[in-house]
Amino acid sequence: MNEKNKWIEQLIQATIRTVGIDTELKNQITGVNMSYNFILDYIGYDDKRIEEAIMEMQESVSLKTYIQAFTLHELGHALDRNALLDSLTKTLEYYDMKKNYPIYKRYSDPNLLAMLIEEHEMNIGFEETAWENAKKLNMEYGIVDWESFEKLKKQGMATYLNLYAEDLQLYNKLVAEQTEQIA
């Protein structure tokens, strides 16, 4: 592990310690900057993806601020763990559907696409809750400046909202086409 990777891990650990939420941290090569595994109760991070993600941002924030804000966000998920666990049955339904149907089928069958839209809606709700929890942690501990926090929240939510909007637009188009065929 090089010095920068060590620094990233130490910064995440320091943020976790500051807010006092005891959760394990795992360095993983996943292509996802940071994520919370609610089943096994740990935060995973991909230090290479973190560095790529910060370079992709339209508005600049420091690497330190980025890492701290997203650590707070993942801790926000940890605070919502019971609700995430309650969603496990639905999450497995979505997983099974994706495993059993190829991507072209999922995006050409309105019933399967409706399931993807439901999953988006569920995930957006969890993301909003995690950011709300992160905001409360940041208010209490003052880790990230508010302007940067809001930029990063907006960027983080945009990923989910944009994919949802694309799938919803396709779903509406498919339903309209089906309605025309019936009429």
Side-chain angles (χ1 to χ4, degrees):
M1 186 182 282
N2 67 33
E3 286 304 310
K4 192 164 199 177
N5 297 25
K6 283 182 196 170
W7 178 82
I8 289 171
E9 184 172 313
Q10 290 170 348
L11 183 58
I12 296 168
Q13 289 283 17
T15 305
I16 291 170
R17 274 192 309 277
T18 298
V19 300
I21 297 173
D22 186 30
T23 189
E24 188 179 356
L25 181 63
K26 292 185 180 185
N27 187 348
Q28 303 172 310
I29 300 167
T30 60
V32 175
N33 58 356
M34 295 181 86
S35 62
Y36 175 65
N37 183 315
F38 67 92
I39 297 169
L40 301 175
D41 193 24
Y42 71 84
I43 293 175
Y45 72 99
D46 182 334
D47 42 30
K48 183 178 178 195
R49 180 61 192 135
I50 287 171
E51 291 187 68
E52 291 169 355
I54 190 112
M55 289 187 278
E56 293 168 3
M57 287 193 61
Q58 277 85 30
E59 300 186 57
S60 69
V61 295
S62 71
L63 181 59
K64 178 181 180 183
T65 298
Y66 180 93
I67 291 167
Q68 290 173 317
F70 276 94
T71 300
L72 289 174
H73 171 70
E74 298 310 332
L75 291 169
H77 282 302
L79 292 171
D80 195 32
R81 184 171 186 226
N82 288 337
L84 289 163
L85 287 168
D86 288 344
S87 76
L88 189 55
T89 302
K90 267 300 201 196
T91 300
L92 291 173
E93 284 178 30
Y94 302 135
Y95 174 80
D96 287 341
M97 182 271 289
K98 289 175 185 175
K99 190 173 70 174
N100 292 321
Y101 294 97
I103 195 162
Y104 76 87
K105 183 75 173 159
R106 287 179 262 164
Y107 284 93
S108 60
D109 180 328
N111 294 321
L112 297 177
L113 190 51
M115 287 181 73
L116 293 176
I117 290 166
E118 282 177 15
E119 181 183 32
H120 284 307
E121 290 168 347
M122 181 178 79
N123 289 338
I124 288 167
F126 287 131
E127 288 300 303
E128 288 171 340
T129 299
W131 280 112
E132 192 56 39
N133 288 339
K135 180 180 177 180
K136 290 174 186 171
L137 290 171
N138 199 42
M139 286 174 72
E140 186 171 345
Y141 296 98
I143 295 171
V144 178
D145 71 276
W146 287 109
E147 182 181 343
S148 297
F149 183 90
E150 288 300 324
K151 282 181 196 176
L152 291 163
K153 174 185 171 185
K154 183 178 176 185
Q155 183 222 353
M157 287 301 301
T159 304
Y160 290 87
L161 293 170
N162 292 342
L163 291 171
Y164 171 69
E166 288 171 17
D167 286 357
L168 186 59
Q169 185 177 13
L170 179 58
Y171 173 78
N172 289 333
K173 181 182 173 203
L174 287 174
V175 170
E177 287 171 1
Q178 266 190 348
T179 305
E180 285 176 18
Q181 289 173 357
I182 294 169

